[in-house]
Amino acid sequence: MKDVPDLFDSAERYDKSINWEARFGRELPMLQKVLGPPRAQGLLDAGCGTGRHARALAGLGYTVVGADLSADMIRIARRDSATAAPSPEFVIAAFEGMQDVVQREFDGLYCLGNALAAAGTREAVRRALAEFGLCLRPGGRLFCQILNFARMRREQPCVRGPRRAVVENREYVSVRLFHFREDQAEVTNVTLWHDGDWQKRAHCAYLYPMELGEFRAFCEQAGMRVDYVWGDYARSPFDPERSVDLLLAATRL
């Protein structure tokens, strides 16, 4: 049987699997509302991936720096932004120590796609939010999105998906299974695709299932005031029993 490329064996192929038009339709208006109009000190995209949001916001007049721990993600972000005008800046940086890399304060910082929870442990998430505070000027705005783990903990079993993607003329179907321990969520992503025979790939990752009370406390410890909490990008009130996401906006004091 011939070797068939896995959806997750490169950042570029995974990037192509995402419906960016749909994401931008719901996320960009929220970012503009929370972070305000373009200002001199710009925005920091913490966990920028392949730089799609950074490029979109740069096209709307913002100065943007994208930071990600993955060198492969940053390579693609730089490549795909080479001909953009204006072009965002991209740096390799983990959440912890990000201020040492960017060496400046920003008007706004955003962290999307549940990336904050992917820090993996309570202490890592706390340190990440402390670092976000250091990266914001006084009065700077923070916007973060994570999953509503309070709701997910009560689901037995907790399954998300299926998600369908067509990449390079091949259809992939993925589901995610969440197993909650006391202070960690183990996520198993199972992807199936067909090319003569059915094939599969399963891989695990660990999230820190932070809930709203702790989110607020970590922001306050980092010198940020929580201004808004929503349950979706339509700005519906957050409901721990029903909301799929937890969206938080805060201001650096």
Side-chain angles (χ1 to χ4, degrees), residues 164-180:
R164 173 184 177 271
V166 178
V167 179
E168 298 170 358
N169 298 315
R170 184 171 290 108
E171 182 180 29
Y172 297 85
V173 177
S174 298
V175 295
R176 290 177 296 161
L177 298 89
F178 293 79
H179 175 69
F180 287 88

Side-chain angles (χ1 to χ4, degrees), residues 160-230:
R160 291 292 180 270
R163 184 170 76 91
R164 173 184 177 271
V166 178
V167 179
E168 298 170 358
N169 298 315
R170 184 171 290 108
E171 182 180 29
Y172 297 85
V173 177
S174 298
V175 295
R176 290 177 296 161
L177 298 89
F178 293 79
H179 175 69
F180 287 88
R181 300 183 176 88
E182 181 177 347
D183 60 353
Q184 205 166 45
E186 180 183 76
V187 188
T188 302
N189 191 96
V190 181
T191 301
L192 303 174
W193 66 96
H194 191 268
D195 192 84
D197 293 314
W198 282 104
Q199 299 189 52
K200 72 173 185 286
R201 181 182 189 269
H203 65 97
C204 292
Y206 294 89
L207 305 175
Y208 179 64
M210 180 170 58
E211 298 183 16
L212 178 56
E214 199 167 38
F215 207 165
R216 285 185 178 275
F218 286 164
C219 285
E220 291 169 1
Q221 292 169 21
M224 294 182 284
R225 179 192 67 233
V226 175
D227 299 313
Y228 301 102
V229 178
W230 296 293

Side-chain angles (χ1 to χ4, degrees), residues 25 40 43 46 54 89 93 98 109 140 165 170 196 207 211 227 232 241 253:
L43 305 178
E89 176 188 353
M98 191 171 285
L109 183 154
R170 184 171 290 108
L207 305 175
E211 298 183 16
D227 299 313
D232 56 37
E241 302 291 328
L253 301 177

Side-chain angles (χ1 to χ4, degrees), residues 28-172:
L28 290 182
M30 175 70 87
L31 290 173
Q32 290 176 278
K33 179 174 180 60
V34 171
L35 302 175
R39 296 186 176 91
Q41 291 175 255
L43 305 178
L44 177 60
D45 183 339
C48 67
T50 56
R52 295 269 191 161
H53 288 88
R55 289 198 298 278
L57 288 165
L60 294 172
Y62 293 87
T63 300
V64 189
V65 175
D68 200 282
L69 182 60
S70 167
D72 196 27
M73 293 285 190
I74 293 298
R75 176 187 62 81
I76 294 169
R78 288 170 175 166
R79 183 201 66 192
D80 291 350
S81 301
T83 59
S87 175
E89 176 188 353
F90 293 101
V91 298
I92 299 171
F95 291 151
E96 188 172 2
M98 191 171 285
Q99 171 58 221
D100 291 336
V101 177
V102 298
Q103 295 188 339
R104 54 184 279 200
E105 294 179 339
F106 294 84
D107 295 308
L109 183 154
Y110 59 95
C111 183
L112 307 178
N114 206 45
L116 180 58
T121 67
R122 181 181 189 277
E123 181 60 16
V125 170
R126 186 196 66 78
R127 291 197 301 263
L129 284 165
E131 199 74 20
F132 292 174
L134 294 175
C135 290
L136 286 169
R137 65 163 176 80
R141 304 299 305 280
L142 171 75
F143 178 74
C144 290
Q145 174 267 325
I146 61 172
L147 294 171
N148 177 14
F149 292 109
R151 170 185 169 178
M152 295 171 68
R153 278 185 181 275
R154 292 188 294 274
E155 298 179 27
Q156 296 293 332
C158 183
V159 181
R160 291 292 180 270
R163 184 170 76 91
R164 173 184 177 271
V166 178
V167 179
E168 298 170 358
N169 298 315
R170 184 171 290 108
E171 182 180 29
Y172 297 85

